[in-house]
């Protein structure tokens, strides 16, 4: 559990041996957990840090939680020519 001190310590220990870290939290979550680019690259220079978000890092949908099934539905609707983006609440 990355939200606990023990989980954070485990992730940081794993990151020390990693060449690449991929995270898919909503924008700002990894930073609040101390696992953002600035913190991780300071611990391990040369680290490749990839951040994937469902709706992008900025804009009105940036903080909307996204699941894999949501993205699959969005892609399918684009393929058939119909897409209505969910609204940020």
């Amino acid at each position: 559990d990355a939200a606990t001190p023990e989980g954070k310590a485990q992730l940081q220990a794993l990151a020390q041996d990693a060449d690449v870290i991929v995270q898919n939290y909503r924008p700002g979550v990894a930073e609040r957990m101390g696992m953002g680019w600035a913190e991780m690259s300071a611990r391990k220079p040369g680290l490749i840090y990839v951040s994937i978000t469902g709706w992008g890092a900025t804009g009105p949908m940036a903080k909307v939680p996204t699941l894999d099934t949501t993205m699959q539905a969005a892609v399918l609707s684009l393929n058939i020519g119909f897409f209505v983006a969910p609204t940020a609440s």
Side-chain angles (χ1 to χ4, degrees):
D1 182 356
T4 66
E6 297 82 14
K8 287 179 189 179
Q10 288 176 341
L11 282 174
Q12 291 169 354
L14 286 170
Q16 284 304 115
D17 293 329
D19 295 320
V20 178
I21 291 179
V22 179
Q23 67 88 2
N24 67 333
Y25 290 109
R26 289 185 318 275
V29 173
E31 289 76 12
R32 284 195 306 272
M33 294 172 55
M35 303 297 290
W37 162 247
E39 297 87 359
M40 300 307 287
S41 64
R43 289 187 195 109
K44 182 156 186 187
L47 178 71
I48 298 170
Y49 187 90
V50 180
S51 180
I52 301 169
T53 64
W55 302 108
T58 61
M61 299 294 292
K63 299 211 186 247
V64 174
T66 305
L67 301 172
D68 179 59
T69 52
T70 306
M71 298 316 301
Q72 289 181 31
V75 169
L76 177 62
S77 64
L78 287 173
N79 285 338
I80 61 173
F82 175 78
F83 178 68
V84 176
T87 58
S89 53

